[in-house]
Every structure is written in structure tokens, then in C-alpha cells.
Amino acid sequence: MAGIFPANPACAKKALDMRYTSFIYTKDSVVPKLQIKGIERHEWGISRVRLHISHRNGADRYDVAKITNKLNSCSTLVILLGHNDDKSIFMDFDVREDLKIDKDEELDFSVQKVSWPGKLQWYLQTKDPMIHIPAYLAVISLALSITGLIVGLSA
């Protein structure tokens, strides 16, 4: 059980609430420490991280991945995008807050691609309302259609 949740109490509650670990592929990455930089203004609030392909641990562009700060065990789910700078990682304020880090620091981290339940989790828990509101509507629509099917078949 100790390996499932972070050792840092500040991040342990989040890991318990989010249950990231049950949706992760087991292949772990070995990534060098990279300098943290901010992303472009039009990408703020979407939980995107720009990372050179050599540091993405087999994840493609637009894959959902779990990034873990190895120093404090804080983690978050993000969308991975590419970048040409192989010495830096680009992330917005919310992602840096989730990982408990600041710009211009060096980040010792791991990247793990998540499976489809983790992708669904990202859609439902991202902070961008243009993403999570349609995801909630889709879940509600699915629940209503299943309820309608059950009521229709039982009548």
C-alpha cells in the first residue's frame, strides 16, 4: 500500500481522491532533470505539458500521462505535446501548482502513459470548463440512456 500513495502528506489526499495509480501503465521512465518554463498564453489552464519526444516515455502527442515530481511525490494528469527543446519542460501555472514547483527550477520527474480510464478521469477533472462540462454532459447522457433502456425493457 505504501507504493500506491505518495509519501508527502500534502499530495497524499490528492492521490487518494484522484486514484491515479489504478489507471497507469507500468512502464516507468528515466528522465533527466529539466528546467521548468511557462507555456504560451493560449495554452493556459488546459493541463498541457510540452516535452521533447525523448522524455515522453513512449507517449505520443495528445496522450494523457501522469507526471510525478520525484522529490515530493506530487503528481497530476496532463496532455503531452511536443517541443524542440530537450533541456526544458513547459507547463502552465496549474500544473506547476499540482506538482508543487516553480518556474526556472529543475524538475526530477517521471512520465507514465495512462489507459482509457485515466483519460476519462482527465476529461472529468481538468480545470478547463470547455473540456470538463462536455465530459460531464456525456456521462449524464450515457446514464440517462442506460436508465431509459432499462425502463423500456422492463415495461
Side-chain angles (χ1 to χ4, degrees), residues 10-150:
C11 298
K13 182 181 183 311
K14 180 176 180 181
L16 184 60
D17 292 342
M18 305 283 283
R19 304 200 195 289
Y20 289 143
T21 52
S22 60
F23 306 130
I24 298 169
Y25 294 118
T26 56
K27 182 181 173 188
D28 200 4
S29 64
V30 178
V31 179
K33 290 182 181 181
L34 300 177
Q35 183 179 9
I36 301 164
K37 295 184 179 178
I39 59 172
E40 298 293 321
R41 183 181 184 112
H42 66 276
E43 293 180 321
W44 289 355
I46 308 177
S47 299
R48 288 185 182 166
V49 169
R50 290 197 170 270
L51 188 60
H52 191 269
I53 192 167
S54 63
H55 304 310
R56 281 193 251 146
N57 193 26
D60 293 324
R61 289 184 63 204
Y62 297 102
D63 274 348
V64 177
K66 175 186 171 190
I67 292 186
T68 303
N69 183 345
K70 291 182 180 179
L71 295 178
N72 60 18
S73 300
C74 291
S75 60
T76 189
L77 293 175
V78 298
I79 295 290
L80 291 178
L81 294 176
H83 203 275
N84 292 334
D85 186 352
D86 66 346
K87 305 264 189 267
S88 300
I89 182 169
F90 297 81
M91 56 182 68
D92 70 357
F93 177 79
D94 293 326
V95 173
R96 292 192 308 269
E97 283 291 304
D98 289 344
L99 296 176
K100 309 278 189 255
I101 52 175
D102 292 316
K103 269 199 278 190
D104 300 322
E105 290 181 3
E106 281 196 340
L107 177 62
D108 186 13
F109 67 101
S110 65
V111 176
Q112 296 171 315
K113 185 178 173 182
V114 297
S115 60
W116 69 267
K119 291 177 185 179
L120 180 61
Q121 179 181 357
W122 178 83
Y123 275 106
L124 294 172
Q125 294 180 343
T126 189
K127 293 176 180 151
D128 185 1
M130 290 184 356
I131 296 172
H132 73 253
I133 290 174
Y136 278 113
L137 291 174
V139 170
I140 292 168
S141 297
L142 179 64
L144 289 173
S145 65
I146 290 172
T147 303
L149 182 66
I150 292 170

